[in-house]
Amino acid sequence: MKIFKKLCICTMVSMTILGTIQVGANAEWKQNSTGWWYSQNNSYAVGWRQLDGKWYYFDAVGYMKTGWVAINGSWYYFKSTGEMVADGIIDGFALGKDGKMISPDYYKTQVKGAEDQAISNAMNNTQVVQIEDVKKSDDSSKVSTEDVIKNIENYQKQSKK
């Protein structure tokens, strides 16, 4: 029985010592003719990875993505180094703090706002634009924005003649 107890104690001490020894992680960037990947021990990174405080995205076979990439319905931009761009403008598109392209609906809203402002500016301009030619079947006093724009364009064409 004493031998069994000593054997158990030795086994537990050995396991405790082995459990505290840290195994170093072997992580490194690698490249071949297809591209770059990040190797960790005997595997490679897939999906989102934060390395040295920078975000990268790796495809299903482990290659680092660059340029515009659609991920789960959102667009992101990655530099040629693979680092994700956040809170910036690339190719005229704004990227949020999370790196996602701000929704194209946002741009449509901005364009519509700019168009409305241009129309307002044109209407407040000292030039008089007559719209009496515009008629609506239900009420001649109601004029659509499209009708106003057409009349402004026609007026400008006539003014150039």
Side-chain angles (χ1 to χ4, degrees):
M1 191 71 166
K2 285 185 179 187
I3 294 175
F4 179 71
K5 284 183 182 182
K6 286 182 183 182
L7 184 61
C8 286
I9 291 172
C10 287
T11 303
M12 289 172 55
V13 169
S14 298
M15 290 176 67
T16 302
I17 292 171
L18 289 174
T20 59
I21 297 174
Q22 294 183 348
V23 178
N26 182 18
E28 63 183 329
W29 285 98
K30 294 183 179 181
Q31 181 184 29
N32 64 13
S33 61
T34 304
W36 286 91
W37 71 95
Y38 190 74
S39 174
Q40 293 178 299
N41 296 323
N42 293 328
S43 65
Y44 50 86
V46 175
W48 287 102
R49 289 293 167 101
Q50 188 175 28
L51 306 169
D52 298 324
K54 299 173 184 171
W55 284 100
Y56 299 84
Y57 189 78
F58 300 89
D59 66 17
V61 292
Y63 285 102
M64 178 186 76
K65 301 301 286 180
T66 60
W68 286 108
V69 180
I71 303 169
N72 296 328
S74 296
W75 284 95
Y76 298 83
Y77 185 83
F78 298 88
K79 297 178 184 179
S80 60
T81 59
E83 178 185 347
M84 180 190 74
V85 176
D87 203 20
I89 297 176
I90 302 292
D91 299 331
F93 294 98
L95 301 168
K97 291 181 182 187
D98 59 357
K100 287 182 184 179
M101 178 195 291
I102 295 175
S103 169
D105 290 338
Y106 168 83
Y107 291 101
K108 290 177 188 172
T109 301
Q110 295 302 309
V111 168
K112 177 69 173 132
E115 288 173 346
D116 290 347
Q117 185 62 47
I119 291 168
S120 175
N121 290 346
M123 296 301 290
N124 292 328
N125 197 342
T126 56
Q127 288 184 324
V128 176
V129 177
Q130 296 185 5
I131 57 172
E132 67 264 358
D133 295 335
V134 178
K135 302 277 189 226
K136 288 288 185 185
S137 60
D138 58 329
D139 184 354
S140 61
S141 66
K142 292 184 181 177
V143 179
S144 72
T145 303
E146 292 83 11
D147 294 331
V148 171
I149 293 171
K150 286 177 188 176
N151 280 292
I152 292 171
E153 290 171 350
N154 289 337
Y155 176 79
Q156 289 172 340
K157 286 178 188 176
Q158 290 173 2
S159 297
K160 291 179 182 179
K161 291 180 182 180

